[in-house]
């Protein structure tokens, strides 16, 4: 997704969610400084070598657990959205790429990164402190932001970790994207937040995020270069 296509979505998101563009922009600059300081950052060309033609993108929805039991994912690149990383590790799978705004289970993300998973860290106005603490801990990091892209901080479009992961996959070469654990309904999957032990009833801000994510994925299906499909286990 080009900046010109993303900009109108972003302006609506900022208005609807009450974000600050200035704080989002400053967060992107901070991420750039942290990446340069740590020198553990990678560029899109390197991450593109990891993303194959078929990519499974794992969201933290309630159907994720059953899907991991029911389906085989060995024929594609495994990309997890933040908290979904824990479910894959529990199922004995190692993600190839983790897309995070650092509000998932950090110990699991760290474990996966140490075992070779690439990290895509997203900067926004509400995770500035977390970036300062956690970015220095990780290796093989590609930086993303939601304001104008910088030289080493990219903006491939997308809002929540899940749909942003799909936009990243399409931009880096995936032509078949399979969404697993994407259930934009009334239940937030238990992997979504470190404190959640059980699936939870969706809260207002999360419902809004799901609405934007759904709209953006529809845009990607219509305008992107990849086939996008949802994979759901039999209930
Ligand atoms: N029912 C669901 N519950 C939780 N995540 C879901 C669900 N359905 C799809 N997802 C996707 O899985 C991703 C899980 O990532 P995560 O829980 O970190 O959310 P997030 O995008 O960081 O939003 P937040 O800022 O609220 O944490 C979401 O971004 C979303 O796109
Ligand atoms: N400013 C801001 N931007 C975001 C936020 C958030 O909480 N605040 N959450 C996101 C979900 O991944 C993505 N973008
Ligand atoms: Mg997150």
């Amino acid at each position: 997704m080009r900046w010109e296509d993303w900009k109108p979505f972003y302006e609506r998101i900022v208005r609807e969610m009450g974000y600050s563009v200035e704080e989002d922009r400053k967060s992107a600059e901070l991420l750039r400084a942290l990446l340069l300081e740590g020198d553990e950052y990678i560029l899109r060309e390197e991450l593109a070598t990891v993303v194959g033609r078929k990519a499974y993108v794992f969201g933290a929805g309630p159907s994720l657990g059953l899907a991991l039991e029911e389906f085989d994912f060995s024929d594609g690149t495994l990309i997890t959205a933040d908290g979904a990383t824990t479910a894959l590790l529990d199922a004995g799978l190692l993600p190839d790429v983790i897309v995070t705004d650092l509000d998932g289970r950090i110990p699991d993300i760290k474990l996966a990164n140490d075992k070779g998973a690439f990290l895509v860290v997203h900067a926004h106005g509400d995770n500035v402190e977390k970036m300062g603490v956690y970015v220095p801990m990780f290796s093989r990091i590609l930086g993303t932001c939601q304001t104008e892209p910088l030289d080493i901080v990219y903006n491939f479009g997308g809002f929540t970790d899940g749909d942003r992961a799909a936009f990243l996959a399409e931009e880096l070469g995936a032509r078949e994207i399979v969404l697993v654990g994407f259930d934009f309904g009334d239940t937030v999957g238990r992997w979504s937040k470190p404190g959640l032990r059980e699936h939870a009833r969706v809260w207002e801000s999360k419902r809004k995020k799901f609405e934007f994510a759904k709209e953006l994925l529809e845009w990607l299906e219509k305008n992107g270069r990849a086939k996008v499909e949802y994979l759901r286990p039999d209930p």
Side-chain angles (χ1 to χ4, degrees), residues 46-123:
E46 182 173 353
L47 193 61
T49 65
V50 177
V51 178
R53 195 196 162 284
K54 181 172 185 179
Y56 292 99
V57 176
F58 298 89
S63 69
L64 178 59
L66 259 184
L68 287 168
E69 286 173 24
E70 197 167 316
F71 302 113
D72 171 58
F73 301 103
S74 57
D75 65 336
T77 306
L78 308 183
I79 303 176
T80 53
D82 224 348
T85 305
T86 301
L88 267 78
L89 293 174
D90 290 350
L93 294 173
L94 179 66
D96 297 296
V97 184
I98 300 168
V99 175
T100 177
D101 65 333
L102 301 175
D103 56 14
R105 286 172 171 75
I106 295 294
D108 290 336
I109 292 172
K110 172 70 177 148
L111 177 72
N113 186 230
D114 290 346
K115 288 185 170 189
F118 285 75
L119 234 49
V120 178
V121 173
H122 187 67

Side-chain angles (χ1 to χ4, degrees), residues 11-216:
E11 286 167 348
R12 274 176 43 216
I13 287 167
V14 165
R15 266 198 314 277
E16 176 75 24
M17 305 301 292
Y19 294 156
S20 151
V21 175
E22 207 29 55
E23 283 175 35
D24 284 350
R25 231 181 237 125
K26 274 196 292 196
S27 178
E29 293 289 349
L30 170 67
L31 178 55
R32 179 177 184 278
L34 288 167
L35 293 176
L36 288 171
E37 196 178 296
D39 198 25
E40 284 290 336
Y41 68 91
I42 61 171
L43 300 177
R44 60 173 289 167
E45 289 74 16
E46 182 173 353
L47 193 61
T49 65
V50 177
V51 178
R53 195 196 162 284
K54 181 172 185 179
Y56 292 99
V57 176
F58 298 89
S63 69
L64 178 59
L66 259 184
L68 287 168
E69 286 173 24
E70 197 167 316
F71 302 113
D72 171 58
F73 301 103
S74 57
D75 65 336
T77 306
L78 308 183
I79 303 176
T80 53
D82 224 348
T85 305
T86 301
L88 267 78
L89 293 174
D90 290 350
L93 294 173
L94 179 66
D96 297 296
V97 184
I98 300 168
V99 175
T100 177
D101 65 333
L102 301 175
D103 56 14
R105 286 172 171 75
I106 295 294
D108 290 336
I109 292 172
K110 172 70 177 148
L111 177 72
N113 186 230
D114 290 346
K115 288 185 170 189
F118 285 75
L119 234 49
V120 178
V121 173
H122 187 67
H124 58 65
D126 294 298
N127 71 348
V128 170
E129 291 73 29
K130 285 177 180 164
M131 282 201 300
V133 172
Y134 297 128
V135 167
M137 281 169 45
F138 297 130
S139 55
R140 288 183 307 284
I141 313 171
L142 182 128
T144 61
C145 65
Q146 50 202 39
T147 43
E148 297 83 354
L150 307 174
D151 52 353
I152 60 166
V153 179
Y154 300 91
N155 182 341
F156 302 132
F159 173 45
T160 73
D161 290 332
D163 62 285
R164 210 175 334 109
F167 277 94
L168 171 106
E170 191 264 359
E171 179 68 28
L172 298 187
R175 291 297 173 258
E176 188 181 346
I177 296 171
V178 183
L179 303 172
V180 188
F182 277 69
D183 317 305
F184 293 128
D186 293 336
T187 309
V188 177
R190 65 184 174 85
W191 300 278
S192 184
K193 291 279 161 273
L196 281 184
R197 288 283 165 270
E198 294 304 322
H199 302 324
R201 181 152 183 68
V202 71
W203 50 92
E204 204 33 46
S205 66
K206 195 70 167 173
R207 185 190 299 279
K208 288 180 184 174
K209 289 188 175 182
F210 284 172
E211 285 311 307
F212 279 117
K214 215 163 36 174
E215 188 184 344
L216 281 157

